Amino acid sequence: MIKKYALLLLAIVTQTTIATAQETAPAYEVIHETDTVWHFGTESIFLFSRPMHRIDIAYPSTDPEGNDATLSGYIAIPTDVLNGEQPCDGVVLMNHYTQMSYDGAPTRGNAQGEDIVFANPLSPNYIQVGSDFYGFGITEGKGQWYCFGDANAQASIDCLLAARKLLDDRKISQGRFLINAGYSSGGYDAIATQKLRDMKYRDVISFDKTFVGGLPFDMETAFDDYLAIKDQPGRFFGLLMVLDSYNRHAHLGLKTEEMLKEPWASKFDEWMNSGQYKTSDILDELRHLKLTDIVKDTLLDRTSEAYKKLRQALKDHELKNDWVPDTTQNYMVMHLYRDMTVPVASDRALLTFLSNYKYENGTSPLFRKTIIPEQTHLQTNFILNSKDHTLLGGVCYYLGLSAMLTALPILYYDGELNTHYADLVKDATPMGIVKTLEAKGYDLKSAVKGMGGGGDIWSAMAKITEITEALDRYLEPHDLTYTDLLTMADDSGLTLQDILEIYTYLSSDDSTDAGSRQERGSATQQPQLVPGTPSFFYQQLENWLHENNFDLESIQLPF
């Protein structure tokens, strides 16, 4: 086996580099090929199963530092697709989530959530492709690069190109759709892969959708959020992996005993680099601990040199650095609202980065947040109020991915967007839904005006203090507040401007609306900050927007 890999490596070294030969399909070598079965279920209780054919390959790529390397990956084909019993609808490039144990490598036979995708009752007819990434598979023992800049992106792209070559050689259909996917750290690597595709492979690869969830897109923000909850029990294992990865690969020179308390300092290197431990092993040991129980003040003190070194390294290797997004690409971003393993604000930064991106001519981008996929290139779902990153978050992500994969061939069965579905979604905007209901005979204006409140949104919202206090009391058993609801609505693309537009439309006719605008103008010029007045509401709203770092100019407040 070693001789075989040595000969393969020699052949790779003599090839032209990927950067200058993107048009040439890379070589590959089949390591192992087997029939297997993927199961949908948990704890050995399998509700559904699906026969699969897995092909493990060695393929030419580069290591995370750009040197020529041979990596390993896999191609998994549903047996009924391989046999022609079902049509192939496309290919999913799956970027695997956090792994520590060498046995967790995909080519070791582990299904990395794709069992949930492929073996559930929807049974999407896709071929799955994925890299082990550097440090696993045939490069195990050389150290992984965990959530470190673009380290794994080239491995993922090259695995896809090699898989395409193998499928072409065997005359296996690859279908129409190409999906880039990953959850948690796999979502981070999927975004890095999308970035690399945008910057180097636009003419070779085009993803129909990059479908990610629970990822730490902005590492600086994630670190800050970890510090904010350092005195609360949490799941800080991912942060320890980040510390190890950035300390080694950014050459920070921090010593373990300077970063961690005992007994964790003594266990750290073996945990991170021996390949013997599963992530669940470490999570079990750290369960119920606070960050201050594990990490020393040298990293928790924002004035310390160690903190500054780490923070600068996180900034230097951010995924958004030097990325010019291709606005033809489509995204679906999911995250639990209270995720305690990967703080949600880090992923919210991805939405901000994309939605703030402008075309060269300065017009508004297609990356506009909404839950409705055909209304934007940036679909979102941040509305699940849960802390469970793995079980609930992971399962919801993979089931969502499965539903999307199954829906695509139906929505685009004629080569273009199904005209019936297009008719259904063309008005699927907040205001469009209101107008559609009115067209069907629902007198929404009378209903809203019948609620009282003076006839327009500004009078109705003048009692904002009473409303929010009542809502907070109602939501308290659900561990939510009125502010949480506003944030969740914004995450999902229902903006403040949408809400104001709808309520203004429903609660006033044109003349009333004009009058209310005049009142707003005078109220703004001579504010009377008395609870229960419109001016008080305006000030409360502006304060909330400032506190939550909203760009007031982009929101275009109507007062």
Side-chain angles (χ1 to χ4, degrees):
M1 184 66 74
I2 295 175
K3 182 179 179 181
K4 178 174 69 174
Y5 289 143
L7 291 174
L8 180 60
L9 183 59
L10 178 62
I12 296 166
V13 171
T14 62
Q15 289 182 349
T16 308
T17 64
I18 287 291
T20 59
Q22 293 180 14
E23 302 82 5
T24 303
Y28 63 86
E29 180 170 325
V30 174
I31 303 172
H32 181 247
E33 192 163 353
T34 186
D35 290 315
T36 185
V37 177
W38 283 355
H39 302 284
F40 176 78
T42 185
E43 301 295 334
S44 299
I45 302 174
F46 302 131
L47 304 177
F48 302 95
S49 299
R50 194 173 191 185
M52 303 290 293
H53 185 74
R54 199 185 83 235
I55 308 168
D56 299 333
I57 60 172
Y59 65 92
S61 185
T62 59
D63 67 19
E65 294 182 315
N67 304 307
D68 289 342
T70 302
L71 304 180
S72 52
Y74 71 97
I75 304 159
I77 311 170
T79 301
D80 50 4
V81 172
L82 182 63
N83 293 340
E85 298 170 12
Q86 294 290 337
C88 179
D89 291 319
V91 173
V92 179
L93 177 61
M94 183 66 77
N95 299 267
H96 72 72
Y97 53 72
T98 301
Q99 284 298 321
M100 293 185 62
S101 167
Y102 296 148
D103 288 338
T107 56
R108 290 283 188 98
N110 271 25
Q112 295 268 318
E114 59 266 26
D115 46 357
I116 299 176
V117 176
F118 282 76
N120 75 72
L122 295 175
S123 299
N125 296 320
Y126 288 76
I127 296 169
Q128 181 148 320
V129 173
S131 174
D132 283 332
F133 292 144
Y134 190 81
F136 293 97
I138 62 176
T139 58
E140 72 176 39
K142 295 186 177 181
Q144 68 168 305
W145 295 57
Y146 184 75
C147 292
F148 190 89
D150 308 317
N152 291 322
Q154 191 70 58
S156 201
I157 290 283
D158 289 339
C159 189
L160 174 63
L161 295 176
R164 280 179 164 181
K165 178 67 165 57
L166 181 146
L167 295 168
D168 284 343
D169 289 347
R170 298 192 180 191
K171 295 181 171 52
I172 299 172
S173 170
Q174 298 176 43
R176 177 187 171 189
F177 300 104
L178 178 61
I179 307 300
N180 176 34
Y183 183 72
S184 195
S185 66
Y188 179 94
D189 290 320
I191 291 296
T193 298
Q194 178 70 65
K195 173 184 173 181
L196 180 61
R197 176 265 161 203
D198 288 354
M199 305 308 291
K200 286 181 61 180
Y201 292 89
R202 290 193 186 200
D203 297 332
V204 182
I205 296 169
S206 182
F207 294 119
D208 291 283
K209 193 177 287 288
T210 285
F211 197 107
V212 295
L215 64 140
F217 171 75
D218 188 319
M219 302 298 292
E220 283 187 279
T221 299
F223 188 40
D224 286 345
D225 283 352
Y226 278 128
L227 294 188
I229 58 172
K230 63 183 180 181
D231 293 314
Q232 304 173 35
R235 293 167 62 91
F236 301 107
F237 170 67
L239 177 59
L240 298 184
M241 292 191 70
V242 168
L243 290 179
D244 176 65
S245 181
Y246 277 79
N247 189 35
R248 287 188 292 117
H249 303 314
H251 310 294
L252 302 184
L254 302 175
K255 297 179 180 179
T256 303
E257 60 270 21
E258 296 174 342
M259 297 188 293
L260 304 179
K261 297 178 179 178
E262 293 293 354
W264 324 120
S266 299
K267 299 181 178 183
F268 187 67
D269 186 63
E270 185 178 2
W271 273 356
M272 296 294 134
N273 302 304
S274 70
Q276 299 175 14
Y277 293 87
K278 299 177 182 178
T279 54
S280 57
D281 296 333
I282 290 86
L283 285 171
D284 287 342
E285 283 216 44
L286 300 181
R287 197 175 303 279
H288 307 308
L289 292 178
K290 298 175 291 186
L291 188 60
T292 49
D293 295 327
I294 306 166
V295 179
K296 287 188 173 181
D297 288 341
T298 48
L299 278 178
L300 302 180
D301 180 2
R302 296 174 188 267
T303 65
S304 72
E305 287 303 312
Y307 170 85
K308 292 176 182 177
K309 277 185 178 183
L310 176 60
R311 183 63 185 271
Q312 187 61 48
L314 297 174
K315 182 176 182 179
D316 290 344
H317 296 279
E318 285 182 345
L319 289 180
K320 65 185 178 184
N321 294 347
D322 304 317
W323 181 13
V324 180
D326 179 355
T327 52
T328 69
Q329 301 293 280
N330 291 275
Y331 295 81
M332 169 62 180
V333 185
M334 298 177 65
H335 209 117
L336 299 182
Y337 184 66
R338 295 194 185 279
D339 194 325
M340 289 293 287
T341 302
V342 181
V344 67
S346 172
D347 211 356
R348 193 173 286 133
L350 173 59
L351 304 185
T352 301
F353 172 73
L354 290 172
S355 60
N356 284 345
Y357 181 76
K358 303 291 183 184
Y359 288 121
E360 290 182 2
N361 62 8
T363 58
S364 297
L366 291 174
F367 298 125
R368 179 174 49 84
K369 293 180 293 184
T370 177
I371 287 180
I372 305 163
E374 304 308 331
Q375 296 291 337
T376 182
H377 284 221
L378 180 58
Q379 187 187 2
T380 68
N381 190 340
F382 277 49
I383 61 175
L384 290 174
N385 182 39
S386 174
K387 301 177 181 180
D388 194 339
H389 175 83
T390 303
L391 184 58
L392 181 62
V395 169
C396 285
Y397 168 79
Y398 287 113
L399 289 179
L401 174 60
S402 178
M404 184 272 293
L405 294 175
T406 307
L408 276 177
I410 300 172
L411 301 183
Y412 294 88
Y413 73 89
D414 56 357
E416 299 295 336
L417 180 63
N418 180 325
T419 54
H420 177 67
Y421 177 71
D423 288 340
L424 292 175
V425 302
K426 67 181 180 181
D427 294 324
T429 63
M431 182 58 80
I433 293 169
V434 169
K435 296 291 185 67
T436 299
L437 290 171
E438 284 191 327
K440 291 184 178 297
Y442 293 94
D443 189 357
L444 299 179
K445 283 196 172 187
S446 295
V448 171
K449 289 179 180 178
M451 294 166 59
D456 62 66
I457 187 174
W458 310 107
S459 299
M461 295 298 284
K463 297 184 178 181
I464 190 67
T465 304
E466 296 176 28
I467 295 170
T468 55
E469 287 178 353
L471 275 172
D472 283 344
R473 287 193 298 272
Y474 175 78
L475 294 169
E476 186 175 4
H478 304 284
D479 193 27
L480 284 169
T481 66
Y482 175 66
T483 301
D484 289 330
L485 290 184
L486 288 178
T487 305
M488 293 163 84
D490 179 70
D491 286 338
S492 301
L494 184 62
T495 65
L496 175 67
Q497 193 164 346
D498 289 328
I499 298 170
L500 296 180
E501 179 187 15
I502 290 170
Y503 203 99
T504 300
Y505 170 76
L506 291 177
S507 62
S508 59
D509 55 31
D510 290 340
S511 59
T512 305
D513 187 46
S516 66
R517 286 176 185 166
Q518 186 175 2
E519 289 178 14
R520 290 202 302 275
S522 60
T524 305
Q525 293 166 12
Q526 298 177 344
Q528 303 293 320
L529 300 183
V530 178
T533 65
S535 299
F536 180 76
F537 162 62
Y538 306 152
Q539 190 62 58
Q540 292 283 89
L541 185 56
E542 276 198 311
N543 290 343
W544 183 87
L545 292 168
H546 279 300
E547 289 170 3
N548 288 273
N549 301 314
F550 278 80
D551 182 352
L552 295 183
E553 292 185 4
S554 67
I555 294 175
Q556 299 178 345
L557 290 174
F559 54 82

